[in-house]
Amino acid sequence: MSAPPPVITVDGPSGVGKGMVTRGLMQRFPGWHRLDSGALYRILALAAMRAGLDLGDPDAVAALAPRLDIHFGGSSEDDESIRLDGVEIVDQVRSETAGGLASKIATAPVVRDALLQRQRDFRQAPGLVADGRDMGTVVFTDAAVKIFLTASPEERARRRAKQLSARGEVVRLADLSAEIRARDERDRTRAVAPLVPAPDAIEIDTSSLNPAQVFERIDELLKTRGLLR
């Protein structure tokens, strides 16, 4: 039996640069597939709300997962596309509201089980770049390279405020920072797949690093693993 396609996982909380790193990896590995697992949870939460489901009923939410018609498109943050049942929803998916809802449903084992196989189905030749919170610890434990990104809550709040302001949303930095800290605590302490780095993951604190500095470390790692020359 041939070896499964290689996987690079990029895990960490929101606002640490997972999207930037993932897009950079896609440029380094043309033709590879991408999995934005966090978006899947956000999409499911939004779809459940639209269907009038109670997010406190994990069985009902999980039953909706296999029926979602999802399409990811775009090659950069500026032209990103996420369609649900043919309707563009990228702005709703990237909102703070969707992020909070996703964090709540993600604590339910039945919901995580419903999305687990769907995530693993993204693993196709020639390879996969998967970003999320438990890609290296749960979904792709045999990944060739595991990266775990971190950054201070204050820096992440500043970055998020800049993104939301560019979309016309009015936010208070203090409120955003408090919400990020609360979400981190939920994610770190949940019973199922808590937000922690895999034992064999390489941790990178992006708080004071620019993209070039982040990729200087990542490229060296890829070279040592034989994925980049």
Side-chain angles (χ1 to χ4, degrees):
M1 181 179 295
S2 60
V7 178
I8 299 173
T9 61
V10 184
D11 286 318
S14 62
V16 294
K18 295 195 299 292
M20 178 272 294
V21 167
T22 301
R23 287 188 291 271
L25 288 171
M26 295 300 292
Q27 294 174 4
R28 284 158 172 75
F29 299 99
W32 279 38
H33 301 274
R34 178 185 178 183
L35 166 61
D36 183 343
S37 67
L40 291 182
Y41 284 94
R42 289 171 177 244
I43 293 168
L44 178 58
L46 289 171
M49 291 288 288
R50 289 185 178 184
L53 300 180
D54 178 4
L55 293 187
D57 183 350
D59 290 325
V61 174
L64 184 62
R67 304 198 299 271
L68 298 180
D69 178 16
I70 303 169
H71 176 77
F72 293 96
S75 58
S76 70
E77 185 175 359
D78 293 333
D79 70 350
E80 181 183 28
S81 172
I82 302 176
R83 294 199 298 272
L84 173 61
D85 297 328
V87 178
E88 182 63 54
I89 60 168
V90 65
D91 288 339
Q92 296 96 307
V93 170
R94 296 308 179 195
S95 70
E96 283 301 296
T97 297
L101 295 174
S103 182
K104 292 176 181 177
I105 67 169
T107 62
V110 66
V111 172
R112 303 193 71 84
D113 288 344
L115 289 177
L116 180 58
Q117 187 55 51
R118 186 155 194 174
Q119 293 175 83
R120 287 175 173 163
D121 289 340
F122 278 79
R123 187 176 194 168
Q124 301 175 29
L128 172 69
V129 177
D131 77 75
R133 283 169 163 73
D134 62 354
M135 295 296 95
T137 55
V138 175
V139 184
F140 302 107
T141 56
D142 62 340
V145 174
K146 299 178 183 179
I147 300 167
F148 191 89
L149 302 177
T150 64
S152 68
E154 294 76 16
E155 174 61 18
R156 289 158 55 204
R158 187 191 66 78
R159 294 174 184 174
R160 188 59 176 158
K162 182 178 180 181
Q163 290 177 333
L164 294 174
S165 296
R167 295 174 183 167
E169 296 188 40
V170 179
V171 295
R172 291 184 66 251
L173 198 59
D175 292 343
L176 201 54
S177 180
E179 185 174 340
I180 286 174
R181 290 178 183 275
R183 190 183 306 171
D184 284 352
E185 183 64 17
R186 287 198 303 268
D187 290 344
R188 280 195 300 262
T189 59
R190 66 190 182 205
V192 179
L195 177 59
V196 294
D200 52 345
I202 301 300
E203 296 187 51
I204 301 176
D205 187 334
T206 68
S207 298
S208 59
L209 300 179
N210 60 40
Q213 293 170 321
V214 172
F215 269 103
E216 182 178 351
R217 301 187 184 187
I218 291 176
D219 286 346
E220 188 60 36
L221 172 61
L222 296 173
K223 291 174 182 177
T224 62
R225 300 294 171 85
L227 292 178
L228 194 66
R229 294 182 179 180

